[in-house]
Amino acid sequence: MSMKVSGFLMASLTFACAVWVAVRVLLPHPVLATFAGGLAGLLPLFVAQFKRGRRVRAFTEQFPDAIDMVVSSLRAGFAMSGAIQMVAEECPEPVATEFRILFEEQKLGLDIRQALLNFADRMPSTDAAIFVTSVLIQRDTGGNLAEVLEKIAYVIRDRFRILGEVRTFTAQGRLTGLILAMLPAGLALVLSVLSPGYMQHLLDNELGSMLITVAVGLQVVGFLT
């Protein structure tokens, strides 16, 4: 993301203040307004986490092909640095960016070991950690790196296939959880439209506002769980 930390914090503060003012004007209870403002302030964080997860998933999908390219380059006689450069030039994003940074770091004089460790730190992926660990062990102990990486690519593809099957098998349960999380809010909206006076008693009463705040909090916890 191109947004700086200052802009990110300002967006969070703006969302929180705007929602707090809106809820405070519509409802008399300050606790509910504070809770809603806090959730709104977390919205940029949720967006960043979503984009981060999407980028990691894209990297994981492309990583076995990148390792295959490294294996082919090594068997063709390239050094490890040349194989890394090949991936940086030929693979799609985001794999190309990460390997380009890896190549430029070691090209500018950083030890290849540290450059690989930086690569694993930047990309929070188990597959990247396995790749880095294998390369570092091979550098210390020797052996056929191309063969080791070929097996790693096979394992990564198999892991990705199994994770896909797990998501397929649990799709119904996850959808049920989403429906159950949205059901109370939907029911409250329907009741507000069909019988405004019925819901107004709950909103005007201080105890009712507290109960709504607690209920929303429990719904969020239940959904995350």
Side-chain angles (χ1 to χ4, degrees), residues 15 57-59 69 128 152 159 167 171 183 187 189 199 220 222:
F15 277 116
R57 283 193 297 273
F59 179 89
M69 190 174 294
I152 288 176
R159 285 181 64 250
R167 290 188 63 84
L183 189 60
L187 184 59
L189 181 62
M199 289 295 294
V220 172

Side-chain angles (χ1 to χ4, degrees), residues 52-53 55-56 59 63 84 88 94-106 110-126 128-129 131-132:
R52 176 180 182 268
R55 188 172 189 273
V56 172
F59 179 89
F63 197 43
I84 293 173
V95 169
T97 297
E98 294 302 327
F99 273 83
R100 189 178 304 116
I101 296 173
L102 173 61
F103 174 72
E104 290 175 353
E105 283 185 344
Q106 59 89 32
L110 188 65
D111 181 65
I112 184 64
R113 183 184 189 88
Q114 188 57 50
L116 286 167
L117 291 175
N118 292 344
F119 171 79
D121 288 338
R122 286 194 308 273
M123 183 53 60
S125 168
T126 303
F131 168 77
V132 170

Side-chain angles (χ1 to χ4, degrees), residues 76-90:
F78 284 85
M80 186 63 184
S81 59
I84 293 173
Q85 183 182 14
M86 185 75 69
V87 174
E89 293 174 352
E90 299 297 333

Side-chain angles (χ1 to χ4, degrees), residues 174-195:
R174 288 184 286 113
L175 180 60
T176 301
L178 179 62
I179 292 174
L180 290 176
M182 300 302 296
L183 189 60
L187 184 59
L189 181 62
V190 171
L191 287 175
S192 299
V193 174
L194 296 180
S195 181

Side-chain angles (χ1 to χ4, degrees), residues 32-169:
L32 183 60
T34 303
F35 184 80
L39 285 179
L42 293 175
L43 183 61
L45 179 61
F46 293 150
V47 173
Q49 290 286 354
F50 172 77
K51 292 173 72 67
R52 176 180 182 268
R54 186 172 61 182
R55 188 172 189 273
V56 172
R57 283 193 297 273
F59 179 89
T60 303
E61 290 179 7
Q62 300 165 8
F63 197 43
D65 295 333
I67 295 178
D68 286 341
M69 190 174 294
V70 172
V71 171
S72 300
S73 300
L74 291 175
R75 287 177 173 167
F78 284 85
M80 186 63 184
S81 59
I84 293 173
Q85 183 182 14
M86 185 75 69
V87 174
E89 293 174 352
E90 299 297 333
C91 283
E93 299 294 340
V95 169
T97 297
E98 294 302 327
F99 273 83
R100 189 178 304 116
I101 296 173
L102 173 61
F103 174 72
E104 290 175 353
E105 283 185 344
Q106 59 89 32
K107 182 182 178 181
L108 293 174
L110 188 65
D111 181 65
I112 184 64
R113 183 184 189 88
Q114 188 57 50
L116 286 167
L117 291 175
N118 292 344
F119 171 79
D121 288 338
R122 286 194 308 273
M123 183 53 60
S125 168
T126 303
D127 302 328
I130 293 173
F131 168 77
V132 170
T133 302
S134 302
V135 174
L136 293 180
I137 290 176
Q138 188 275 339
R139 288 178 62 84
D140 292 336
T141 62
N144 190 337
L145 180 59
E147 184 178 346
V148 172
L149 293 181
E150 188 176 33
K151 292 179 179 178
I152 288 176
Y154 172 78
V155 171
I156 292 174
R157 285 193 175 95
D158 221 32
R159 285 181 64 250
F160 199 74
R161 178 185 60 80
I162 292 172
L163 287 174
E165 291 179 357
V166 170
R167 290 188 63 84
T168 300
F169 293 147

